[in-house]
Amino acid sequence: MKDLLDDIYANIGLSPERGGVATYIPELAKIDPHQFGMCVAAADGEVYTAGDAEVPFSIQSVSKVFALALALGKVGDQLWRRVGREPSGLSFNSLLLLEREDGIPRNPFINAGALIATDIYLAGSRPKEALGQLLRFVRAASDDEDIHINEMVARSEIATGHRNVALAHYLASFGNLHSGVDEVYGTYCHQCAIEMSCRQLALAGRFLIDTDDTPKLVSRERRRRIAALMMTCGHYDGSGDFAFRVGLPGKSGVGGGILAIAPGKASVAVWSPGLNRYGNSKLGTEAMEMFARKTGWSVFG
Ligand code: GLU
């Protein structure tokens, strides 16, 4: 496994064609695109790394996996009254479908749906407490206390994320946001600004692998459903392409991170800040594709 990761680093991690970093969040525009890390956390607890696997990065939308698990833990299947589970076929921050579909976002991984998950885990507590719960979940999953929120990144997004504010107001206009728009939006931006290294992220994903040795933070049924949503909706309108090329459930973030799950085998994290046209890590996707091809791992047998 270590040789494979070194091979991926040498072949893909050092590629000159790296895609462009996200610029719509000013703090993320400052990130050096010449970075690449990868980590495999195996079901048996072994951890393998290559490249910049210890460098913390902004996990952004990868946080939506943890937020969904936390929100489901709070309200269970009632969550599905407020958000759907179909791919959107549109960009992550699209407003288009919300109007047509009466304020019910297509899935919990597009921004509108993720705002609902945030609203659910925020209910009844203050943003700081709710974020504390989310951090506790992530720290417990990775068995690492050294995971924090980057306040500068959160503020940078809060100041400039007009589309997400619009989405939040739109949801509120349909009665599908229970806390105030500012509270939900601020909590969402802080959630996205969690920083983790590839090592921490791969370890945190082990609760989705499901073996005797992995953390039991959600039931088996829920784990399967979260993985199904990662497969169908985890890469926005690039989800079909990711399923086709990689064949593993995955979730991307505009910070350039991807978390993928090989059920029963391993949790895999990759990070390279440059993005492809869908807003997913360019080299990260290529690395996952090579990883899946070389290991032969796929949920499709
Ligand atoms: N915080 C980002 C946003 O809402 C997350 C998007 C992403 O990572 O895909 O725009």
Side-chain angles (χ1 to χ4, degrees):
M1 187 57 81
K2 172 66 180 148
D3 289 349
L4 171 57
L5 294 192
D6 286 343
D7 218 25
I8 292 174
Y9 180 66
N11 280 286
I12 292 171
L14 301 174
S15 163
E17 305 280 326
R18 311 185 72 86
V21 298
T23 51
Y24 75 100
I25 301 175
E27 276 301 303
L28 295 185
K30 299 179 185 166
I31 306 293
D32 175 8
H34 296 96
Q35 301 180 83
F36 178 98
M38 192 159 184
C39 178
V40 174
D44 63 7
E46 283 298 319
V47 174
Y48 307 88
T49 62
D52 304 309
E54 313 288 344
V55 179
F57 62 89
S58 196
I59 68 167
Q60 292 295 320
S61 284
V62 184
S63 68
K64 293 172 182 173
V65 174
F66 306 111
L68 175 62
L70 186 61
L72 282 168
K74 297 230 155 176
V75 299
D77 283 345
Q78 283 183 30
L79 179 140
W80 305 117
R81 294 187 189 159
R82 297 177 57 189
V83 60
R85 18 182 215 255
E86 295 294 344
S88 74
L90 293 168
S91 67
F92 63 96
N93 54 9
S94 172
L95 281 149
L96 217 64
L97 284 171
L98 263 191
E99 181 165 27
R100 280 226 309 260
E101 298 179 357
D102 296 333
I104 307 290
R106 273 284 173 103
N107 68 67
F109 292 153
I110 51 172
N111 287 5
L115 286 163
I116 301 284
T118 301
D119 189 43
I120 288 173
Y121 77 73
L122 176 61
S125 35
R126 298 156 71 91
K128 227 184 155 98
E129 294 159 8
L131 287 163
Q133 277 188 28
L134 182 67
L135 279 174
R136 274 199 293 284
F137 184 97
V138 176
R139 288 170 180 161
S142 58
D143 194 21
D144 189 334
E145 288 298 304
D146 193 19
I147 295 173
H148 308 278
I149 291 170
N150 183 324
E151 192 61 37
M152 297 267 283
V153 173
R155 284 190 190 189
S156 170
E157 181 167 13
I158 287 171
T160 56
H162 304 298
R163 273 176 183 242
N164 287 337
V165 179
L167 285 169
H169 276 290
Y170 219 76
L171 291 166
S173 79
F174 284 100
N176 201 5
L177 213 61
H178 299 171
S179 292
V181 163
D182 290 347
E183 273 186 316
V184 177
Y185 176 59
T187 307
Y188 169 80
C189 292
H190 279 81
Q191 164 195 316
C192 290
I194 292 175
E195 288 192 338
M196 294 169 84
S197 66
C198 286
R199 175 191 289 273
Q200 290 170 326
L201 188 57
L203 283 165
R206 285 177 80 244
F207 82 98
L208 291 168
I209 305 179
D210 191 37
T211 67
D212 291 343
D213 301 324
T214 50
K216 302 281 174 286
L217 295 178
V218 298
S219 68
R220 168 176 281 191
E221 183 185 52
R222 194 160 284 168
R223 177 192 61 73
R224 284 187 176 143
R225 288 176 162 184
I226 293 172
L229 285 163
M230 290 170 77
M231 180 64 99
T232 51
C233 314
H235 281 71
Y236 308 117
D237 48 337
S239 299
D241 190 55
F242 190 83
F244 182 86
R245 289 165 64 183
V246 181
L248 298 173
K251 182 73 204 85
S252 68
V254 289
I258 300 176
L259 172 67
I261 303 301
K265 298 192 171 76
S267 162
V268 188
V270 66
W271 169 58
S272 175
L275 308 179
N276 62 22
R277 68 192 169 99
Y278 302 115
N280 303 316
S281 174
K282 179 181 185 296
L283 297 186
T285 305
E286 290 171 18
M288 287 291 188
E289 187 176 14
M290 180 166 167
F291 178 83
R293 203 176 50 241
K294 295 274 184 180
T295 53
W297 292 353
S298 162
V299 296
F300 301 109

